[in-house]
Amino acid sequence: MLQPRIRLPPQASQRCHCALSHPSPFRRYATVVETSQGASQASLGDIFGPGDGKPQDFRAGTFALRTYKPRTPGVRHLIRPINDHLWKGGPFKRLTFPKKGHGKGGRNNTGQVTVRHHGGGHKRRIRTVDFQRLSKGKHFVERIEYDPGRSAHIALVSKATKDDKFDPAAHKSYILAAEGLREGDIVESFLSGIPEDLMASMGGAVDPGMLAARTTSRGNCLPLRMVPIGTSVFNVGMAPKGPGKLCRSAGTFATVVAKDNEGKPDVEGKYVTVRLQSGEVRKISSNACATIGVASNPDYQHRQLGKAGRSRWLNIRPTVRGVAMNASDHPHGGGRGKSKGNVHPVSPWGLPAKSGYKTRNRRKSNKHVVQPRVRNQGKRRKTK
């Protein structure tokens, strides 16, 4: 459906004219447009390209998205990020299992709906992703794949040989891919400690500058105590011996802002302070895992599905307004016209939904949160 248009042979009266003028007057269905706020409007030649069948990429200083010629109503508003580097085949079957049963419809083990707006969708296989990265040594990135279970991309890695080459018979695993990670790159995990060859290159003692230069590469997994201040990380763990739980969505990251042992390299601090994208500043164990870089697929937030059916393919069911229901189904239902019965906005179970209604217990504050994220508290934020 989204293949390029078939080029028709020119008429006899037009062959000489076409050969002497521009090389190709035909346009493709898939085009790349620049979507920056401050960028100038692109001309038709820039949008549709020279007509050689290859998409034009305008990523200088901005991001680019792919749109399609509206052959059908479903692709008129379809916008996708450009991910031509992704693997075109299927997943590595040994690291997947099928998603079946009640869970796909948002139901628990008794069949009751516990998560609304879930159901249907295309058949999918769950990829078993290694969020902890305990396997030491260098790993070779075989390919970058699409994962239907998350917004970020995943990378299939295998144990590299001594000369950093690909070994087909090596153990394979899936990891979260960092933005910019490509096929053929080498990634390494330092959770089990500093390798002997790296320690020998530093003269038998830890040199902070050399250690940071040799370890903080895109896609490497380090304990937070080894990450320099100001570095962007993702897939951040919460416990010393646990998997990564924070900043795993597409384009997310956290920034290391402080350490307990700052200025005291001989003393091992207990916590590392990081700033999340929500504005929250919190302390995390210095032995927790973190991956250098930013989570892949940062243009995911600018996509447009284009039609309702594409949401159904993604296992997303419609969201019905409360005022459109009956009085027996929602507190806002019933009555004549679009009226919710002169009641304050509430959830289907009667919990206030607006006006800054607090649901957290003040006595159970999180002691690891240094600065909480900014909340509206029922008021509009002041624009600068």
Side-chain angles (χ1 to χ4, degrees):
M1 180 180 68
L2 303 178
Q3 295 179 354
R5 176 182 288 181
I6 300 176
R7 182 172 297 182
L8 299 176
Q11 301 294 332
S13 60
Q14 298 177 351
R15 288 179 183 177
C16 181
H17 175 71
C18 292
L20 296 177
S21 60
H22 44 277
S24 174
F26 299 99
R27 300 182 299 185
R28 302 184 312 277
Y29 284 118
T31 61
V32 178
V33 294
E34 192 174 2
T35 55
S36 176
Q37 294 279 343
S40 60
Q41 186 176 3
S43 62
L44 292 178
D46 294 334
I47 295 177
F48 296 107
D52 54 359
K54 298 179 181 179
Q56 304 299 306
D57 196 352
F58 305 97
R59 290 184 180 270
T62 180
F63 59 90
L65 300 173
R66 177 167 288 144
T67 61
Y68 298 89
K69 187 176 180 68
R71 298 177 61 184
T72 61
V75 299
R76 177 178 295 275
H77 302 289
L78 176 62
I79 299 178
R80 289 172 173 171
I82 300 175
N83 294 315
D84 296 334
H85 62 282
L86 293 182
W87 172 251
K88 303 301 188 295
F92 189 68
K93 281 291 186 69
R94 297 180 184 177
L95 297 176
T96 63
F97 61 92
K99 173 136 180 107
K100 295 181 180 179
H102 293 299
K104 194 172 182 182
R107 291 167 170 80
N108 59 7
N109 59 342
T110 62
Q112 295 179 341
V113 176
T114 56
V115 182
R116 299 190 301 162
H117 315 139
H118 283 199
H122 196 279
K123 279 184 14 177
R124 62 178 63 177
R125 299 185 69 87
I126 302 299
R127 277 72 165 169
T128 55
V129 181
D130 181 15
F131 295 110
Q132 198 166 1
R133 305 276 300 273
L134 290 178
S135 179
K136 59 182 180 180
K138 296 183 178 180
H139 288 72
F140 184 88
V141 178
E142 293 188 33
R143 62 200 187 204
I144 309 295
E145 295 185 10
Y146 165 78
D147 187 359
R150 66 194 70 256
S151 57
H153 298 149
I154 57 177
L156 181 66
V157 299
S158 59
K159 194 81 170 180
T161 59
K162 294 183 179 180
D163 53 351
D164 297 343
K165 296 297 181 61
F166 171 62
D167 185 7
H171 178 266
K172 303 179 187 299
S173 62
Y174 277 127
I175 64 171
L176 278 183
E179 174 61 17
L181 195 68
R182 292 295 182 267
E183 176 185 352
D185 292 349
I186 299 294
V187 295
E188 190 172 358
S189 176
F190 297 92
L191 291 180
S192 58
I194 303 175
E196 296 180 359
D197 55 348
L198 180 57
M199 185 65 74
S201 64
M202 294 187 296
V206 177
D207 185 355
M210 184 178 295
L211 181 65
R214 296 284 298 273
T215 57
T216 55
S217 299
R218 180 192 296 118
N220 285 356
C221 185
L222 286 76
L224 278 174
R225 68 175 186 274
M226 292 177 58
V227 180
I229 295 178
T231 306
S232 297
V233 294
F234 70 100
N235 189 31
V236 183
M238 299 286 288
K241 296 182 180 180
K245 294 184 178 181
L246 301 177
C247 305
R248 303 197 315 196
S249 298
T252 57
F253 63 92
T255 306
V256 178
V257 295
K259 296 182 180 180
D260 286 353
N261 63 341
E262 187 175 355
K264 302 176 182 179
D266 299 335
V267 180
E268 182 177 348
K270 187 176 181 181
Y271 294 105
V272 173
T273 306
V274 300
R275 179 186 292 110
L276 305 179
Q277 285 181 296
S278 63
E280 178 179 300
V281 180
R282 64 177 299 139
K283 292 183 177 180
I284 300 178
S285 174
S286 60
N287 293 321
C289 63
T291 306
I292 304 297
V294 180
S296 54
N297 198 19
D299 296 340
Y300 175 82
Q301 59 176 326
H302 303 293
R303 80 200 187 286
Q304 290 184 14
L305 298 181
K307 64 177 184 179
R310 210 166 265 115
S311 292
R312 304 305 295 266
W313 299 345
L314 298 176
N315 201 40
I316 302 174
R317 298 188 70 244
T319 301
V320 181
R321 296 170 296 123
V323 294
M325 299 182 186
N326 296 325
S328 60
D329 299 325
H330 199 281
H332 297 171
R336 296 188 180 185
K338 299 180 179 179
S339 172
K340 61 178 183 295
N342 196 22
V343 296
H344 293 290
V346 294
S347 69
W349 303 275
L351 191 68
K354 292 185 178 180
S355 303
Y357 181 74
K358 295 181 176 61
T359 58
R360 295 196 176 190
N361 192 341
R362 294 183 178 180
R363 298 180 181 178
K364 295 182 180 180
S365 61
N366 193 340
K367 62 180 181 180
H368 296 293
V369 175
V370 179
Q371 179 180 346
R373 63 182 176 88
V374 179
R375 290 181 170 86
N376 292 349
Q377 302 295 346
K379 303 178 182 178
R380 290 187 177 182
R381 294 183 181 178
K382 297 180 179 179
T383 57
K384 295 182 180 180

